[in-house]
Amino acid sequence: MTSATRTPQAPPSASLTAVRPAASPQRLLVDLVPPRHFAEARFSTYRANAAFPSQAATVVRLEAVAQQVAAPAKGRGLFGSRKRAAAPAVYLDGGFGVGKTHLLASLADAVGVEHTAYGTFVEYTNLVGALGFQNTVAALAAKKLVCIDEFELDDAGDTTLMSRLLRELTDRGVALAATSNTLPEALGEGRFAAEDFLREIQALSARFEVLRVDGDDYRHRAVVTDAKPLPAAVVEAVAAARPDATLDRFGALLDHLATVHPSRYGALLDGVGLVALTDVEPITRQEVALRLVVLVDRLYDRDVPVLLAGAGERALFTDEMLRGGYRKKYFRALSRLGALAEDGRALAV
């Protein structure tokens, strides 16, 4: 009796839904550095578009800020403590894809990464939750510069929390730098009753020198792209061929994200070099869409290519979402996910 010859099967791909990531408070602090995608960002490598003079002007101003922040403290204050001059606070405002994060990472490098805390808005609110407010202040006050990328308020509590945190840091002479697609006085607009928290919002606005960064998305992508998704068989085959790839059904991954705190989405991607998703379909619930935005940001930070089978990134968010108060978050996610999907398609050809 002879046995039939079978074609060897590739081992099943790893799955993000099988990962239960842990992130200690210490790791949250260690992770407050410029993301891998911008680790080599420098002022000298920023290509200012001559058609938008505000870009070059912003570089000049940030170079001056870096010199001011990096300068050693002069003299001694009461009880021999170091005296610090009034620290600068700059706010880079502009559309997505104009290089604000590149500039923020360049500022961190110019000051010295070891003297800088660098994270997204949500990472700082997560840090407060993990360490407590006073411990967070103490940890961040040891730095010369705190960089806050994607400064956007999702609820009134975050408005008060961040206003208080920034006040404590500036009182201790810590310089601030932030990026956003929304002017400080408009933070929270369309998402909660901003007039009820106008005092806090105005306090935030008063702390920053606003630097407008005009321009087009440097990725030269439409907000909603026309990139076609890949066949599921291709996505599965490419994922199976890479030991650092994960393969998940889109809906299953979204369900899994609901069980993982957003502060751990970075840990979820430890060791992952490619994310493959099948059965991609539109998202109809706002809280689900916002979790995906955070995941896309962590993927983009780490330069992780993405393979999409199903509807692709074009139809991810509803028209209502793209018109609502979180629209700029969704536009950023579409731009970033589109770039990662193009990287993924290059691996599949």
Side-chain angles (χ1 to χ4, degrees):
M1 181 174 168
T2 60
S3 59
T5 301
R6 294 185 179 182
T7 302
Q9 296 278 324
S13 299
S15 170
L16 289 178
T17 59
V19 179
R20 297 290 174 181
S24 67
Q26 290 72 27
R27 170 166 180 168
L28 296 180
L29 283 170
V30 170
D31 284 349
L32 290 178
V33 294
R36 182 193 313 166
H37 185 81
F38 295 98
E40 302 302 319
R42 304 291 185 271
F43 290 131
S44 61
T45 60
Y46 181 78
R47 297 292 177 255
N49 189 334
F52 300 97
S54 63
Q55 294 186 6
T58 298
V59 172
V60 171
R61 176 60 185 135
L62 290 180
E63 287 176 330
V65 168
Q67 291 180 355
Q68 179 183 349
V69 176
K74 296 180 180 180
R76 294 279 173 177
L78 190 63
F79 305 118
S81 61
R82 289 190 308 165
K83 292 174 62 178
R84 285 184 179 177
V90 292
Y91 188 101
L92 308 185
D93 176 70
F96 59 90
V98 297
K100 300 187 302 298
T101 299
H102 182 123
L103 291 171
L104 192 66
S106 300
L107 178 62
D109 174 77
V111 170
V113 174
E114 69 277 14
H115 301 304
T116 302
Y118 186 112
T120 62
F121 182 89
V122 70
E123 285 176 308
Y124 287 110
T125 56
N126 290 338
L127 188 65
V128 173
L131 297 182
F133 185 82
Q134 292 302 331
N135 287 336
T136 299
V137 171
L140 297 180
K143 303 292 186 178
K144 291 184 176 182
L145 172 68
V146 169
C147 294
I148 310 163
D149 202 11
E150 306 300 347
F151 198 119
E152 295 189 28
L153 305 182
D154 295 341
D155 59 55
D158 285 346
T159 311
T160 304
L161 174 64
M162 190 55 70
S163 178
R164 182 185 171 199
L165 179 62
L166 298 188
R167 181 172 62 250
E168 294 275 354
L169 293 175
T170 53
D171 287 348
R172 287 163 171 74
V174 179
L176 304 174
T179 73
S180 182
N181 302 319
T182 307
L183 285 169
E185 63 269 19
L187 288 169
E189 192 174 80
R191 281 166 282 183
F192 56 83
E195 63 275 10
D196 293 340
F197 302 93
L198 186 58
R199 181 178 302 173
E200 295 291 349
I201 294 171
Q202 287 176 336
L204 284 172
S205 178
R207 295 183 184 279
F208 289 103
E209 170 192 356
V210 177
L211 303 176
R212 178 71 188 178
V213 186
D214 299 299
D216 300 321
D217 184 350
Y218 77 92
R219 289 177 287 268
H220 301 294
R221 299 173 54 82
V223 166
V224 180
T225 71
D226 292 320
K228 293 181 179 179
L230 294 165
V234 172
V235 169
E236 293 167 357
V238 174
R242 289 183 54 126
D244 62 348
T246 61
L247 175 65
D248 293 275
R249 286 183 54 255
F250 186 62
L253 177 59
L254 295 180
D255 290 342
H256 184 57
L257 292 181
T259 70
V260 178
H261 193 277
S263 66
R264 298 180 178 180
Y265 286 8
L268 182 70
L269 300 172
D270 284 351
V272 176
L274 174 69
V275 167
L277 299 172
T278 61
D279 301 317
V280 176
E281 60 185 1
I283 300 172
T284 58
R285 292 164 53 194
Q286 191 101 264
E287 73 276 12
V288 176
L290 290 172
R291 291 189 202 108
L292 180 64
V293 168
V294 176
L295 180 66
V296 169
D297 284 342
R298 300 292 81 78
L299 288 166
Y300 189 77
D301 288 347
R302 290 160 174 75
D303 285 325
V304 178
V306 174
L307 295 172
L308 302 176
E313 82 269 20
R314 181 181 184 182
L316 276 179
F317 306 120
T318 66
D319 289 341
E320 182 180 1
M321 290 177 183
L322 294 177
R323 292 193 303 267
Y326 296 104
R327 60 189 178 277
K328 291 180 180 178
K329 283 190 173 186
Y330 297 140
F331 291 162
R332 182 183 77 242
L334 286 172
S335 179
R336 289 182 166 186
L337 184 59
L340 296 176
E342 287 180 353
D343 293 340
R345 290 180 67 86
L347 297 174
V349 297

